[in-house]
Amino acid sequence: MDYQTGCCVTFPAISLVRCVPSTTRQCVRDSCRHGGRRRTSFRPVPKVQPPRAIESDLRPISLTATLVKVLESFVGSWILERVGDSFDDRQFGARRQRSTTHALVDMLHHWHVAIDNSESVRTVFIDFAKAFDCVDHNLLVSKLVALGLPNVIVRWIWAFLRERRQCVKIGDVLSDWLQLSAGMPQGSYLGPPTFVILIDALQPGCMTHKYVDDTTMTDVLGRSAASSMQSFVDQLVQQATDAGMIVNGRKTKELLIGPLLKDPPPSVSLSGTPVDRVTVFKLLGVHVASDLKWSQHVDAITSKAAA
């Protein structure tokens, strides 16, 4: 049985049906996992083609055993059923019957309503530096306990994370093993729901939409109203710091929509450094322009199709 490639599916199904349920129940009950699961290999997947920088253009995807993924899905689904209704209502990631489409529709609806009322919209797209790599295990466990999850599930999550060792796999070559003290494996089923729990408290004073770690802040302004976006950003940065997260000022962007474009305020800043102000931003796969027209997105899609 190959635990990395999933070749176990060729094993007689009747044999798996007999052993998997009892094995998973015992695993959760004893807060243990397959011994090899703590040694995880990662495959670097390019975010862009071709990748130019190791630090920013590669995403480490966890290569996990098929049976462990099944167990993760059981535990993750159970957690979401138990506490999902308590999440921030504008968190659209890792939740049933919600998607990037729902998040985009909700944001665009509020922006269009503001423009129809002759108001302006000031948005800031927050990027977290190495979001999944910064997950504080102790903080996450404390939040799970605060949500009232049963101790057996909390212990299993702790066992899933603690003393984890990883290496990088490229082809048939493995790097040296390194023990981790923080982080959540990307590509694991438990990654998104546990991360959503960790950042649920990120709720500054303005309208804030989230899709897992993709965070969009919106400040709707009347004709003569002054923007409080800088204060809202400062609140979010402090809340992120309390959650062990770091806001990436280089990738965080600002977009203005409506009459505010004629007399723009100073850009918001992070640690004294102004945030880049853009006229088009790729939000959850869709190119959003300051005029809320679709020509930029259509051009990008047609260019990609023609390539």
Side-chain angles (χ1 to χ4, degrees):
M1 183 181 296
D2 188 336
Y3 285 95
Q4 296 294 343
T5 63
C7 291
C8 63
V9 294
T10 61
F11 201 81
I14 188 64
S15 299
L16 292 177
V17 168
R18 290 170 178 169
C19 69
V20 170
S22 59
T23 302
T24 54
R25 284 196 299 269
Q26 188 67 35
C27 179
V28 173
R29 187 180 302 116
D30 295 344
S31 299
C32 66
R33 296 170 287 116
H34 185 277
R37 183 60 183 87
R38 294 181 185 177
R39 292 165 58 97
T40 306
S41 58
F42 284 78
R43 178 169 58 91
V45 176
K47 297 180 182 179
V48 296
Q49 291 290 357
R52 294 182 175 84
I54 294 177
E55 296 81 2
S56 60
D57 293 345
L58 295 175
R59 179 181 288 108
I61 299 299
S62 174
L63 302 176
T64 58
T66 301
L67 291 182
V68 174
K69 289 182 179 179
V70 172
L71 179 54
E72 287 180 35
S73 68
F74 290 160
V75 175
S77 297
W78 191 91
I79 291 174
L80 291 176
E81 290 176 1
R82 182 70 178 263
V83 302
D85 291 341
S86 66
F87 291 159
D88 179 2
D89 192 51
R90 289 199 169 97
Q91 170 60 265
F92 292 85
R95 302 178 68 180
R96 289 183 176 179
Q97 299 182 340
R98 297 196 177 201
S99 65
T100 55
T101 300
H102 293 96
L104 287 165
V105 168
D106 195 62
M107 283 185 276
L108 289 169
H109 168 72
H110 285 94
W111 298 346
H112 277 285
V113 168
I115 299 304
D116 290 343
N117 293 330
S118 300
E119 296 175 317
S120 297
V121 178
R122 190 176 189 183
T123 60
V124 174
F125 308 103
I126 300 294
D127 183 87
F128 294 104
K130 302 293 183 182
F132 282 83
D133 295 336
C134 295
V135 173
D136 186 308
H137 297 166
N138 293 322
L139 181 59
L140 175 60
V141 169
S142 68
K143 287 183 176 291
L144 294 174
V145 172
L147 286 171
L149 290 174
N151 289 336
V152 64
I153 296 297
V154 176
R155 288 197 301 268
W156 190 89
I157 295 291
W158 177 247
F160 176 81
L161 295 172
R162 69 184 177 89
E163 298 179 1
R164 178 178 294 277
R165 302 178 68 205
Q166 74 174 39
C167 73
V168 177
K169 181 178 182 180
I170 301 179
D172 296 328
V173 180
L174 296 177
S175 69
D176 294 333
W177 291 95
L178 177 68
Q179 184 162 322
L180 305 179
S181 59
M184 175 64 68
Q186 291 195 49
S188 66
Y189 186 95
L190 281 175
T194 52
F195 189 84
V196 165
I197 291 173
L198 183 67
I199 69 168
D200 189 60
L202 269 62
Q203 300 181 27
C206 66
M207 184 189 306
T208 304
H209 290 80
K210 290 176 280 188
Y211 188 85
V212 190
D213 61 324
D214 289 302
T215 303
T216 302
M217 305 173 64
T218 299
D219 189 15
V220 177
L221 306 169
R223 287 181 177 273
S224 58
S227 174
S228 300
M229 182 58 84
Q230 183 63 60
S231 175
F232 298 144
V233 169
D234 292 341
Q235 290 176 30
L236 184 135
V237 170
Q238 183 58 56
Q239 293 170 359
T241 301
D242 294 341
M245 311 304 297
I246 301 173
V247 176
N248 185 346
R250 185 173 63 86
K251 291 187 177 181
T252 295
K253 306 296 180 184
E254 180 183 11
L255 178 73
L256 303 180
I257 304 170
L260 196 63
L261 285 166
K262 298 178 180 179
D263 186 21
S267 298
V268 297
S269 61
L270 291 170
S271 302
T273 303
V275 169
D276 290 340
R277 182 172 289 165
V278 297
T279 58
V280 180
F281 183 80
K282 189 175 182 181
L283 176 63
L284 301 178
V286 174
H287 294 80
V288 177
S290 57
D291 58 6
L292 294 183
K293 295 182 179 180
W294 294 104
S295 56
Q296 297 276 0
H297 182 67
V298 172
D299 290 344
I301 295 300
T302 53
S303 297
K304 184 177 181 180

